[in-house]
């Protein structure tokens, strides 16, 4: 009986860990997408300014 209980706790723990990992990954994706406009300006803004200066 004790063995079955320990197995059930192990399975439940793995399930909860996977749920928390998915939540963490989704949170990181949302944070990245929220900061994407400022990252895009930093990466591609200089290129547009140099194209305007050359024309």
């Amino acid at each position: 009986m004790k063995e079955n209980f320990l197995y059930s706790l192990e399975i439940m723990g793995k399930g909860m860990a996977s749920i928390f990992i998915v939540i963490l990954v989704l949170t990181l994706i949302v944070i990245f997408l929220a900061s994407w406009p400022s990252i895009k300006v930093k990466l591609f803004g200089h290129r547009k300014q140099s194209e305007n200066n050359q024309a």
Side-chain angles (χ1 to χ4, degrees):
M1 185 69 181
K2 184 178 179 183
E3 211 173 289
N4 290 337
F5 180 69
L6 291 177
Y7 287 146
S8 66
L9 286 179
E10 182 180 353
I11 293 170
M12 186 176 66
K14 287 180 182 179
M16 289 179 67
S18 64
I19 289 171
F20 282 121
I21 289 172
V22 168
I23 290 172
L24 178 67
V25 168
L26 290 175
T27 303
L28 292 175
I29 290 172
V30 168
I31 289 171
F32 174 74
L33 289 176
S35 63
W36 173 247
S38 62
I39 294 172
K40 192 167 111 175
V41 167
K42 288 178 184 175
L43 290 177
F44 303 115
H46 300 294
R47 188 179 303 165
K48 288 183 181 178
Q49 287 176 355
S50 62
E51 288 174 0
N52 290 339
N53 291 339
Q54 290 175 356

